Amino acid sequence: MTLTVYTIEMAYAHMRSMQEQAHRSRVRKAAATTRQEAAGEGRATTIRTKRR
């Protein structure tokens, strides 16, 4: 069995990458909202009805 040493530096690097990913996600979400508002789109809802 091979033991892997998990250092504080590795933990910090992982934490930092997760923070950057969360930041990118928030930026993308804000940009999408701004584009929708600029295009005059609201929250898209669809109503599906069965034809009889």
Side-chain angles (χ1 to χ4, degrees):
M1 173 167 51
T2 305
L3 295 176
T4 302
V5 177
Y6 194 67
T7 64
I8 291 174
E9 289 84 5
M10 291 169 69
Y12 180 76
H14 180 67
M15 179 192 71
R16 188 73 187 138
S17 71
M18 289 176 60
Q19 287 175 336
E20 289 172 359
Q21 182 179 2
H23 176 71
R24 286 192 302 270
S25 176
R26 284 190 299 270
V27 169
R28 280 195 306 266
K29 196 177 291 185
T33 301
T34 302
R35 280 194 306 271
Q36 285 178 347
E37 289 173 354
E41 300 174 10
R43 177 176 251 186
T45 58
T46 59
I47 298 173
R48 294 183 181 178
T49 58
K50 283 186 177 180
R51 292 187 181 188
R52 294 183 184 199

